[in-house]
Amino acid sequence: MANTDVKGINISNELRAHYVSPCAGFIPFPDTNGYAEYTDVPKDSTPKSSSSWDIEHSEFGTSYAAIPNFLGPLPPSRIDVVIPDQTQWPPSLWSQLDARDSVHVTGSRINSLGISTYLRDGLQSWSDNIENFADVYRDLPFGSTILLNNMAEDVGSLDFQIMPNKTLMQSGIFLSAEELRAMWGYRESDMPPTMPYTKMLRLKQLSGDAILVWVSGEGKYEDAMMVFKSTKGNPARTYHEIKVLLALEPLKTIAGRPRKLITIPSSGAVCGFLMTYYKGGNLEDILPERRLKGTLAYYQQAYWSVDLTKSLLHIQKSPAKFCSDLRLDQWVLSKQADGPEVAVLLDLEQSRNIYNWAPPEIYYLEWIAELGSRAYSRGRDLPDDIITKYQDILNRYLQSRGFPSPLEGRPSHYDNPPHGWHWPWLTSSPAEQEAGMVYMLGRALWCIFEGVGDADVVLGRSNVYDGRQRFPEFVRTPPAMRWIIQTCTLGAREWIDGPIKIYRRGGKVFPLGRTGWCGEPEGTFEETKETVRLFWQDEMRKAERFVEARMRHDKNEASESDLELLHYLKRPTLKQVLSRLHRFL
């Protein structure tokens, strides 16, 4: 008999595949030895950590930017601490270390959880027992890892292991600036200057791949503060973004050319680049902060909306052609000396977006690949008949678009693609790419005029204002702007059959409508598992119908019912959106 006392499902990094991915509809939920069902117990009162290690950022509760501050100024070496999945922690630590909340809490907010004190104290005990630790740490190759092999109640018995970054030594993966220049066909004068990462001082981790640094010789202190964006594994996406930024004509609403290319001293290989640091913060944080303080002005919202649209038009006309990963944490504010704050786009990797922001015509294709291509699958143990079914759909779609099949993932060696590797955008026509950008713009406009940092609750990460308001609930948006948002986001599931049927509240997921939020009852563990399974099976039926309808439309054989599934055909163009937005200035 099912246990009806257990409410929701506790999340972990490895369990994400069992609720945020379509494979969750077709594979059994794993036995987690009680982790997925555990309930909180009273915490022990523990003294505040006296460790000289700091944690500045975390991702999914298994990767941490932990800094030994007692060593003094350090270069931005990207040495992260990686720990076991939450399901592998001793049960006695789940509540004490806030296991389930460590998954969705990102950035410095991780320091509010027990895992932060635990790791800081453990790292201090470990480093205290390593002879000449300062020399050992400083000599580590860029992008090395400190691996925690066990989770023990006694932090003094934690088994940390240094794992030097071996990717740097693999031939042909990291390339020099000269190799990149020759590959791109640029003149030497087209390329930014190079500088070893050891010539910079790290100030603060901003995100997983971005560190605020100080660069000597750049004038006054504020001018010397820049953002170092880098990669510690396969550098292909970083190289592609550098190429895109170099190819763009300057525009004040898009991040400028890389200031410098950053290299590994021993080899001269490029591991990242320097960008201008925008101190104004990102719109994901700023919008709710100013709304709550009563300082979010209408004229600012209107100007930012125009900024975003102009940026997308500029990209569309450039060699880049499209922007695929628009969301508000990618837009930062720049204060102009002679005018209003300007919203500046930072990220131009042309990679995948999270499902809360991606257009449905894009994520439907992603989901087909996740079940039909082992290179893209996020779940093990998919039944052979499911793989065969979706592999057939995927291959027929790729062939109909003249795209190579079978589908392969991003190569291990950078191969200089014109527009990146994210195949759903690459198989889209220019008009379809524009419709996809319009969709993401529409969701951004909703956030801007509602004063909300994200369009929905993200299943894998949280922010301070989680779940207070969800797209497309209109409270503050002017009526004329509501019409623009609705037309831009045609095809959004929220307009058709409501929000995603899975809801994350804190470190648990629940069925929609049984979340325990605002007086709702809480769904049980078994109800939640069944909701996840049925939701993803239904989503895959929608994805199948969409792909078949698109292929028939390509052959001019679409029926009326097919056209009803191709909502992107009815969205406005970017120019049409910009024309209407100008009326709000």
Side-chain angles (χ1 to χ4, degrees):
M1 182 178 294
N3 185 350
T4 58
D5 293 332
V6 178
K7 306 300 183 182
I9 296 175
N10 296 319
I11 63 176
S12 86
N13 182 39
E14 290 185 357
L15 284 179
R16 288 188 300 128
H18 294 273
Y19 63 92
V20 302
S21 170
C23 64
F26 304 92
I27 59 177
F29 194 86
D31 180 2
T32 62
N33 295 315
Y35 174 85
E37 305 101 306
Y38 85 84
T39 56
D40 281 329
V41 297
K43 285 188 177 185
D44 296 335
S45 58
T46 55
K48 187 176 180 180
S49 174
S50 59
S51 172
S52 296
W53 284 76
D54 275 350
I55 292 181
E56 295 183 346
H57 186 77
S58 69
E59 291 189 343
F60 300 121
T62 56
S63 180
Y64 296 83
I67 314 302
N69 283 329
F70 57 92
L71 298 186
L74 292 168
S77 302
R78 288 291 307 274
I79 299 171
D80 294 336
V81 175
V82 174
I83 73 173
D85 185 73
Q86 293 84 354
T87 57
Q88 299 172 34
W89 301 4
S92 59
L93 296 180
W94 290 339
S95 287
Q96 298 300 319
L97 304 187
D98 305 294
R100 63 181 179 229
D101 286 316
S102 72
V103 184
H104 65 89
V105 173
T106 61
S108 61
R109 290 188 298 127
I110 197 70
N111 289 302
S112 66
L113 305 184
I115 184 62
S116 175
T117 299
Y118 177 86
L119 286 178
R120 292 174 63 206
D121 289 345
L123 286 164
Q124 188 70 60
S125 176
W126 168 71
S127 58
D128 285 345
N129 288 286
I130 294 180
E131 187 176 356
N132 300 319
F133 177 77
D135 294 334
V136 172
Y137 187 88
R138 290 178 183 276
D139 289 342
L140 287 175
F142 177 85
S144 295
T145 297
I146 299 173
L147 179 66
L148 177 58
N149 291 310
N150 69 324
M151 296 285 289
E153 293 187 13
D154 176 15
V155 295
S157 63
L158 297 185
D159 178 20
F160 289 100
Q161 179 183 1
I162 292 176
M163 308 288 289
N165 187 355
K166 295 183 179 179
T167 307
L168 299 176
M169 298 178 282
Q170 296 178 23
S171 175
I173 293 183
F174 280 82
L175 304 176
S176 69
E178 174 56 27
E179 289 173 314
L180 292 173
R181 183 199 66 78
M183 190 176 282
W184 296 336
Y186 287 164
R187 298 167 300 182
E188 287 189 18
S189 59
D190 295 329
M191 298 290 285
T194 61
M195 183 177 72
Y197 80 90
T198 50
K199 297 296 183 182
M200 304 182 292
L201 295 180
R202 76 177 320 282
L203 299 177
K204 179 183 178 183
Q205 192 96 11
L206 301 176
S207 66
D209 59 3
I211 300 175
L212 182 64
V213 297
W214 183 80
V215 183
S216 62
E218 294 293 329
K220 60 184 182 179
Y221 184 78
E222 288 191 356
D223 293 337
M225 293 171 64
M226 301 183 198
V227 175
F228 172 40
K229 189 169 184 181
S230 64
T231 182
K232 53 188 291 182
N234 188 327
R237 286 197 306 183
T238 300
Y239 292 166
H240 181 69
E241 185 170 20
I242 292 171
K243 182 179 75 168
V244 170
L245 290 170
L246 291 176
L248 282 174
E249 291 294 326
L251 186 72
K252 68 179 182 179
T253 57
I254 297 179
R257 287 168 50 90
R259 303 277 291 274
K260 295 179 188 291
L261 301 186
I262 304 303
T263 61
I264 307 295
S266 59
S267 64
V270 174
C271 62
F273 60 97
L274 284 181
M275 304 176 68
T276 298
Y277 174 49
Y278 298 94
K279 293 176 287 187
N282 66 60
L283 288 182
E284 182 179 79
D285 296 331
I286 289 166
L287 286 167
E289 287 174 3
R290 293 192 182 180
R291 173 175 56 80
L292 292 173
K293 292 177 181 178
T295 59
L296 184 59
Y298 175 80
Y299 78 89
Q300 292 174 322
Q301 296 167 303
Y303 273 110
W304 295 340
S305 301
V306 170
D307 289 343
L308 266 62
T309 312
K310 285 182 176 178
S311 296
L312 295 178
L313 276 165
H314 189 73
I315 292 169
Q316 184 188 36
K317 296 173 183 176
S318 77
K321 302 299 184 185
F322 64 86
C323 171
S324 58
D325 42 7
L326 186 157
R327 55 187 187 274
L328 292 190
D329 62 341
Q330 309 287 10
W331 293 87
V332 294
L333 290 186
S334 171
K335 179 67 172 119
Q336 304 296 301
D338 57 347
E341 292 172 309
V342 173
V344 179
L345 173 63
L346 290 184
D347 197 319
L348 286 166
E349 292 181 355
Q350 295 189 306
S351 56
R352 66 175 294 275
N353 209 337
I354 58 177
Y355 296 150
N356 305 61
W357 285 88
E361 64 269 21
I362 295 297
Y363 64 65
Y364 281 151
L365 294 174
E366 292 176 350
W367 293 348
I368 294 289
E370 286 194 30
L371 297 187
S373 169
R374 294 195 184 277
Y376 284 83
S377 176
R378 289 198 281 175
R380 298 184 293 271
D381 303 322
L382 272 173
D384 289 340
D385 61 321
I386 295 297
I387 295 174
T388 299
K389 173 184 177 179
Y390 288 103
Q391 191 175 62
D392 174 69
I393 297 172
L394 175 63
N395 288 340
R396 286 192 292 111
Y397 174 75
L398 295 174
Q399 291 165 10
S400 74
R401 292 276 165 140
F403 199 80
S405 63
L407 192 64
E408 297 181 355
R410 191 174 70 234
S412 60
H413 291 62
Y414 175 64
D415 58 354
N416 190 26
H419 305 110
W421 301 269
H422 192 40
W423 71 272
W425 285 85
L426 300 181
T427 59
S428 299
S429 68
E432 291 166 346
Q433 290 169 350
E434 180 174 26
M437 290 191 286
V438 167
Y439 177 90
M440 294 183 291
L441 174 62
R443 293 182 86 91
L445 294 176
W446 178 83
C447 291
I448 289 171
F449 282 92
E450 289 297 327
V452 176
D454 209 328
D456 202 353
V457 177
V458 181
L459 293 177
R461 66 178 178 87
S462 64
N463 59 48
V464 178
Y465 308 99
D466 241 9
R468 308 292 173 84
Q469 186 179 347
R470 306 180 71 182
F471 177 87
E473 179 188 0
F474 288 117
V475 178
R476 307 166 194 89
T477 303
M481 182 59 68
R482 296 182 187 191
W483 182 86
I484 295 175
I485 292 169
Q486 288 173 326
T487 56
C488 286
T489 57
L490 285 173
R493 66 157 56 87
E494 292 88 347
W495 297 125
I496 300 169
D497 57 4
I500 186 171
K501 300 302 183 286
I502 313 161
Y503 187 90
R504 181 189 52 74
R505 178 171 63 82
K508 284 177 169 280
V509 289
F510 295 92
L512 183 68
R514 296 180 61 81
T515 67
W517 184 260
C518 296
E520 291 180 355
E522 291 183 326
T524 67
F525 178 72
E526 294 297 332
E527 287 172 343
T528 305
K529 286 198 302 182
E530 184 67 1
T531 296
V532 169
R533 185 181 69 85
L534 294 177
F535 167 75
W536 282 113
Q537 290 181 359
D538 186 50
E539 288 298 296
M540 291 312 301
R541 285 189 285 270
K542 295 177 188 176
E544 292 174 46
R545 292 196 295 268
F546 167 78
V547 173
E548 298 291 352
R550 176 178 266 192
M551 287 191 290
R552 286 191 288 270
H553 181 264
D554 287 348
K555 296 185 290 186
N556 295 317
E557 297 174 359
S559 65
E560 287 297 322
S561 59
D562 287 335
L563 294 176
E564 291 176 1
L565 300 176
L566 306 180
H567 302 89
Y568 61 87
L569 296 173
K570 302 174 185 177
R571 294 180 199 143
T573 65
L574 288 169
K575 285 184 177 179
Q576 289 170 336
V577 175
L578 182 62
S579 175
R580 288 189 171 272
L581 289 176
H582 273 301
R583 302 176 189 178
F584 291 82
L585 297 180

